[in-house]
Amino acid sequence: MANVNVHSEAAQDNNIAPSKQPLSLPKTVDSQSVLRRLQSELMALMMSGDSGISAFPEEDNIFCWKGTITGSKDTVFEGTEYKLSLSFPNDYPFKAPKVKFESTCFHPNVDVHGNICLDILQDKWSSAYDVRTILLSIQSLLGEPNISSPLNPQAAQLWSNQEEYRKMVEKLHKLPSA
Amino acid sequence: MATATGAEESELNTYWCHECDMSVALSSSRSSPLMCPHCRTHFLELMDSPSQNDAVAPLSSLSLFDSPFFHRLIHHHLVSNSNTNTTDSPNDDVAFEDPLSLLSPSLISSKTASSKSSATAVPVILVTSALLSQLDPTGVVSCAVCKDDIEIDEEAKQLPCNHLYHSDCITPWLELHDSCPLCRFRLSAAEEEAEGEEEDGFDGALTSSEIRSQLRAAMVRLSELMEEEEDDFYGLRTTLNHIASRHGLIGSNGASVVSEEGEGGDSENFSRIGGGNGSE
């Protein structure tokens, strides 16, 4: 956990001078490039003005972000809002971040712990993806689940009945965060 | 075994094939009429016979120079030099890449890159404004790995799919993956295709490493023989000069383009031959 605070300091110093980076990091050069990339993503995300998605680093750690997505119009998730956590590895963007739902999400490809089954977060990861495209992908996954390999079989089964599904979504959405 | 080999070698003679314009080592004891192994004709002339005392080593080196692989190498060298994009003799590329570098490293530099792994195969380029405006009308191209703009004069790599990245950004990705981050173009797909073409035509009479070692030994001896100014070593220098100039390897003044020194074992082997020559 010591690393967490170090990362945070590094992030704040990054704009001023690279030489001010703390030397206690195991991989100083790598960490610097990860920090630069995450800062660049944060800027781009704030400038983009995408509706329905947002994300911001946690106060003390730029390697951990909190994101939100809202359900798209004309889907059973319309009007709902979900919180997610994004945890970036030290070799980001060469490896995918770990992304989980923090809110309860009743969805065929999301399990009860909030784990998401999405190819671009696993074997189809590309370093060209970023927070923005990840959140947009999850947002579109909500309305277009992959029923054939569900993490939540109950949700997969109910999907064919959109009216009942909508009721379930509304019911679970009122519940406090998991 | 040892005596039998010795007897066989002592019967070898060097002939000049007037059809091929080169020397060939043939056994004279055969009952069948002498025939050049390369052109299959009988237009042969017995060359000045080497002294039988130290015949073994020079004869073995002669047979190396007479190796058809050696002549194919020289021929291939010239063909690939005059037309780098040719697919004339792709079968030679695999086996002869190394020995070619002994002759003239600069001529094959364009070929070596394609046979390396994906991560290093893509050449590093310096970004120009022309390249940037070619990729984007506004001239602003960002690196999909670091998300920063790619600036003029920065080191970059352009993948076969034309996507451009900072060199330092894309190399770690290619070490982990085999594809373009933006379009998933598989780099090995293009490579396998090229390698398949090269290997298909290889006749495989000798393994490439055998040919390599033979050629390397031949090159070492050739380079050292070319430096012999005083004696025409059993007429070998004249022969080699003739072959080489015929193939355009050296200038008419006899200046050698072969400059590479050999490995320890080969040099030692040669010095024994050279010593024998000097004493006579």
Side-chain angles (χ1 to χ4, degrees):
Chain A
M1 282 311 282
N3 271 351
V4 168
N5 291 327
V6 173
H7 288 325
S8 172
E9 281 172 33
Q12 284 156 12
D13 287 349
N14 197 36
N15 282 338
I16 306 159
S19 60
K20 293 263 176 87
Q21 296 290 334
L23 295 170
S24 55
L25 284 169
K27 294 181 190 172
T28 310
V29 177
D30 288 349
S31 298
Q32 280 182 21
S33 60
V34 181
L35 289 169
R36 265 203 305 277
R37 154 105 186 205
L38 288 171
Q39 289 193 322
S40 165
E41 282 196 42
L42 183 58
M43 288 283 282
L45 195 62
M46 290 194 297
M47 302 289 276
S48 72
D50 288 299
S51 66
I53 62 161
S54 67
F56 206 79
E58 285 180 355
E59 261 177 44
D60 58 343
N61 186 358
I62 197 170
F63 281 74
C64 285
W65 290 32
K66 292 284 185 234
T68 56
I69 59 172
T70 55
S72 302
K73 234 184 146 201
D74 299 326
T75 72
V76 291
F77 294 97
E78 184 178 343
T80 57
E81 187 178 279
Y82 297 94
K83 285 191 163 50
L84 298 105
S85 67
L86 300 92
S87 165
F88 299 91
N90 286 325
D91 48 1
Y92 181 77
F94 302 111
K95 296 282 172 62
K98 289 184 170 57
V99 186
K100 280 179 69 174
F101 274 96
E102 297 289 304
S103 320
T104 303
C105 179
F106 185 69
H107 188 275
N109 304 118
V110 181
D111 72 10
V112 289
H113 307 291
N115 297 310
I116 307 164
C117 182
L118 183 60
D119 57 356
I120 65 156
L121 295 176
Q122 278 108 32
D123 57 315
K124 294 288 183 199
W125 169 252
S126 157
S127 54
Y129 290 126
D130 52 26
V131 175
R132 184 176 159 269
T133 52
I134 289 169
L135 293 180
L136 288 172
S137 296
I138 295 172
Q139 189 184 40
S140 75
L141 178 72
L142 285 184
E144 298 160 31
N146 178 2
I147 305 294
S148 59
S149 59
L151 283 177
N152 184 338
Q154 193 198 347
Q157 220 165 12
L158 196 62
W159 184 257
S160 54
N161 188 343
Q162 291 280 288
E163 208 172 303
E164 285 299 310
Y165 201 103
R166 171 71 193 176
K167 282 180 189 166
M168 187 65 116
V169 167
E170 282 176 339
K171 191 171 105 187
L172 293 171
H173 189 239
K174 307 280 189 247
L175 291 174
S177 303
Chain B
M1 264 315 267
T3 50
T5 312
E8 195 179 302
E9 277 177 351
S10 68
E11 286 160 2
L12 278 175
N13 278 310
T14 307
Y15 294 82
W16 184 259
C17 174
H18 289 276
E19 201 64 42
C20 303
D21 253 7
M22 66 185 199
S23 63
V24 291
L26 296 169
S27 168
S28 56
S29 68
R30 285 181 188 167
S31 51
S32 55
L34 287 168
M35 188 175 75
C36 172
H38 310 303
C39 63
R40 307 267 169 201
T41 65
H42 308 283
F43 199 6
L44 296 164
E45 183 186 347
L46 183 64
M47 293 176 75
D48 291 340
S49 198
S51 152
Q52 296 297 313
N53 298 334
D54 52 359
V56 175
L59 278 176
S60 68
S61 63
L62 275 176
S63 62
L64 278 168
F65 291 124
D66 288 334
S67 159
F69 294 107
F70 179 66
H71 291 272
R72 278 171 63 199
L73 161 67
I74 297 170
H75 176 71
H76 170 76
H77 178 75
L78 295 169
V79 169
S80 64
N81 185 22
S82 61
N83 184 7
T84 46
N85 290 328
T86 188
T87 49
D88 253 353
S89 49
N91 53 319
D92 290 356
D93 291 358
V94 175
F96 293 151
E97 205 162 63
D98 264 358
L100 276 175
S101 66
L102 292 172
L103 290 169
S104 176
S106 62
L107 293 173
I108 57 153
S109 57
S110 62
K111 290 194 161 230
T112 50
S114 63
S115 60
K116 291 177 184 171
S117 71
S118 302
T120 49
V122 183
V124 177
I125 54 171
L126 278 185
V127 177
T128 62
S129 59
L131 176 66
L132 291 179
S133 50
Q134 180 198 327
L135 292 170
D136 189 285
T138 63
V140 180
V141 178
S142 65
C143 171
V145 176
C146 70
K147 306 286 181 187
D148 286 340
D149 290 345
I150 299 173
E151 307 286 348
I152 292 165
D153 285 341
E154 278 186 306
E155 288 189 351
K157 286 188 175 185
Q158 188 171 27
L159 304 189
C161 51
N162 282 343
H163 287 124
L164 190 70
Y165 301 90
H166 289 123
S167 177
D168 291 343
C169 293
I170 193 63
T171 303
W173 172 260
L174 292 179
E175 281 166 3
L176 293 166
H177 306 82
D178 180 40
S179 58
C180 172
L182 283 168
C183 67
R184 299 195 195 277
F185 175 88
R186 274 187 65 230
L187 273 80
S188 64
E191 240 174 67
E192 280 161 14
E193 211 170 280
E195 278 172 18
E197 279 173 18
E198 282 175 10
E199 279 162 15
D200 282 347
F202 187 59
D203 56 21
L206 285 171
T207 69
S208 59
S209 63
E210 281 171 346
I211 298 166
R212 233 182 227 122
S213 62
Q214 276 198 16
L215 281 170
R216 188 165 287 137
M219 285 302 158
V220 169
R221 293 194 175 94
L222 174 62
S223 67
E224 299 192 31
L225 284 166
M226 288 304 180
E227 288 162 13
E228 292 275 343
E229 290 298 329
E230 294 180 10
D231 297 72
D232 192 353
F233 184 43
Y234 304 133
L236 186 56
R237 192 164 68 86
T238 310
T239 307
L240 287 166
N241 270 331
H242 196 94
I243 296 170
S245 62
R246 189 176 159 78
H247 287 289
L249 261 182
I250 61 172
S252 52
N253 59 356
S256 171
V257 296
V258 181
S259 57
E260 189 79 22
E261 287 295 318
E263 291 147 34
D266 293 320
S267 305
E268 196 181 302
N269 192 12
F270 174 74
S271 66
R272 189 164 60 83
I273 305 164
N277 179 44
S279 65
E280 285 176 10

